[in-house]
Amino acid sequence: MKNSPTQTVIIASLIAFGLGSFAWGVSRPVAPAQATRIGSIDLGRVLDKLQEKSDWEVQIAALQNQMRDEADSRKKRLEAEKQQASATTDQAEQQRIAEQVVLEGLQLEQWATLKGAELDRESSLMWQSIYRNLREESAKLAESEGYDYIIVNDGVNNIVTSREVKMPMSQQVLEQIGRRQIIFASPTTDVSDKLIVKMNNTHATAPASVGPAKK
């Protein structure tokens, strides 16, 4: 007796279902999960040993000295003009010098504000550059060493308190604890020295137009 088309479809479906059930019942080899590799850095130690940071600090210190010298020069000129006003007996001349001193004092304040903003901008550029290079070199290190993550190990820093801070010491401690992300990281995960070497080598070979002028 021949099967009808409908019966044929049903039989084929049952066979397929049976084979599928059999396939699922057979144990399949499962690839072992690859362990996540994590490297950690002591950010404070890394920053302390970066040549780029040292070069930036030299440049900013030179700018600070230049500003301080100019400020001292302007202040001395103002003092000299005040003494000149005190020494003269001409009332009109005294008034003229006094007005000049006030004007120059206002100009000095404006100049100091502008220079302070300039100094702050340089410091901002320094930290932006360092952070950008820190990320780039960490990515390269992770790729070359096979790390999935490189994290900042903030557990290496001690909890510190100060009586000069206008905050209860217990609150100082609790706030520092609250900001911690890492309680413990094995020393074997530390890649700080490798990162320092990579960043300093990259900085040494970077074009002169990148970052602060090198010595």
Side-chain angles (χ1 to χ4, degrees):
M1 185 176 86
K2 294 184 178 179
N3 294 326
S4 67
T6 302
Q7 289 175 321
T8 302
V9 171
I10 293 173
I11 292 170
S13 298
L14 289 172
I15 292 172
F17 177 77
L19 291 174
S21 299
F22 173 76
W24 279 108
V26 175
S27 60
R28 298 181 178 182
V30 179
Q34 186 175 0
T36 300
R37 293 197 66 207
I38 298 177
S40 65
I41 62 168
D42 179 344
L43 185 58
R45 180 154 63 90
V46 171
L47 293 177
D48 285 343
K49 294 182 178 295
L50 290 184
Q51 187 59 45
E52 179 187 7
K53 181 170 177 284
S54 297
D55 290 345
W56 272 104
E57 288 174 339
V58 168
Q59 177 176 296
I60 292 174
L63 183 60
Q64 285 178 316
N65 292 334
Q66 180 183 351
M67 292 178 182
R68 184 164 49 248
D69 291 343
E70 185 171 351
D72 290 343
S73 176
R74 290 190 177 208
K75 289 176 181 178
K76 288 178 181 178
R77 185 165 62 248
L78 282 176
E79 289 300 323
E81 289 175 351
K82 288 178 182 179
Q83 291 179 2
Q84 181 182 356
S86 299
T88 185
T89 56
D90 188 329
Q91 294 294 324
E93 181 65 8
Q94 277 188 346
Q95 181 65 24
R96 185 194 69 78
I97 295 175
E99 291 176 355
Q100 181 66 22
V101 167
V102 171
L103 177 60
E104 290 183 4
L106 293 174
Q107 291 174 340
L108 178 58
E109 290 179 3
Q110 293 175 345
W111 173 86
T113 300
L114 289 174
K115 290 300 180 179
E118 181 182 344
L119 197 62
D120 182 54
R121 176 178 175 274
E122 287 297 306
S123 182
S124 171
L125 290 173
M126 176 186 77
W127 288 116
Q128 288 182 59
S129 176
I130 289 174
Y131 181 66
R132 180 173 58 250
N133 293 329
L134 185 69
R135 290 185 61 189
E136 291 176 358
E137 295 304 321
S138 292
K140 293 176 184 177
L141 178 63
E143 183 176 0
S144 64
E145 299 283 338
Y147 290 105
D148 298 290
Y149 300 94
I150 293 183
I151 61 175
V152 175
N153 180 12
D154 55 9
V156 298
N157 302 321
N158 294 324
I159 300 292
V160 295
T161 58
S162 173
R163 295 187 181 277
E164 296 179 0
V165 177
K166 294 181 179 180
M167 180 188 299
M169 287 192 289
S170 59
Q171 187 176 346
Q172 294 177 40
V173 172
L174 289 173
E175 286 200 358
Q176 291 176 66
I177 292 175
R179 291 195 298 267
R180 296 291 170 90
Q181 300 295 318
I182 307 297
I183 297 298
F184 170 79
S186 171
T188 59
T189 68
D190 190 276
V191 293
S192 301
D193 291 335
K194 291 181 179 180
L195 183 59
I196 291 166
V197 170
K198 285 184 69 67
M199 292 188 71
N200 285 344
N201 286 344
T202 300
H203 179 66
T205 57
S209 59
V210 177
K214 300 181 182 67
K215 294 181 287 183

